[in-house]
Amino acid sequence: KPENYDVWYESRFEECDREACLSFSKEALCSRVTVDHNYYAVCQNLLSQYATWRGTTGGLLHNPPAHIAKDGQLEALLDECTKPKKHYGRFQAAKELREYLTRLSAASSSAMAR
């Protein structure tokens, strides 16, 4: 077992001005049991305001409806998932973001069924 194999690995946020930026350390990814790199990739390159993939400028979750945006929870979760301020914040933010989006989806489905 490599040294620190059981210490969670956190990917560093890197701002980028070209499409699909995503750097990583193969050594770090392959020598740790728990890594946040997939969360980072999804949050930064698909969902958040930093998304740079063609067709996702501003992220897939840009411009949410006012009733969703008003409490700031979606934006806060996306920010923490992309650029965590807390130690291991991306792990928690990704979990909470998934739960939040699941609740929104369920509420939307329920409202449409009426």
Side-chain angles (χ1 to χ4, degrees):
K1 295 179 183 174
E3 185 178 342
N4 294 322
Y5 79 99
D6 59 344
V7 176
W8 289 11
Y9 180 79
E10 296 180 281
S11 301
R12 278 190 348 263
F13 171 81
E14 294 181 27
E15 201 154 348
C16 168
D17 62 353
R18 61 185 199 285
E19 184 176 279
C21 299
L22 192 60
S23 62
F24 59 90
S25 161
K26 184 171 71 170
E27 180 182 308
L29 293 180
C30 296
S31 65
R32 304 292 182 97
V33 174
T34 305
V35 178
D36 72 351
H37 191 70
N38 288 339
Y39 295 142
Y40 174 58
V42 169
C43 288
Q44 177 173 343
N45 286 318
L46 290 175
L47 302 179
S48 78
Q49 64 180 326
Y50 301 100
T52 55
W53 287 93
R54 193 171 318 131
T56 62
T57 303
L60 293 176
L61 297 178
H62 68 86
N63 301 327
H67 71 279
I68 293 172
K70 72 179 176 187
D71 69 1
Q73 185 175 5
L74 178 60
E75 183 178 354
L77 289 171
L78 283 171
D79 285 347
E80 188 65 18
C81 192
T82 305
K83 293 172 72 171
K85 294 172 186 67
K86 301 174 200 157
H87 191 53
Y88 300 134
R90 184 174 289 123
F91 290 97
Q92 185 62 36
K95 177 183 181 285
E96 290 179 25
L97 180 60
R98 191 172 78 218
E99 291 167 354
Y100 180 75
L101 294 173
T102 298
R103 284 192 310 271
L104 286 177
S105 178
S108 176
S109 294
S110 175
M112 291 175 76
R114 288 185 220 161

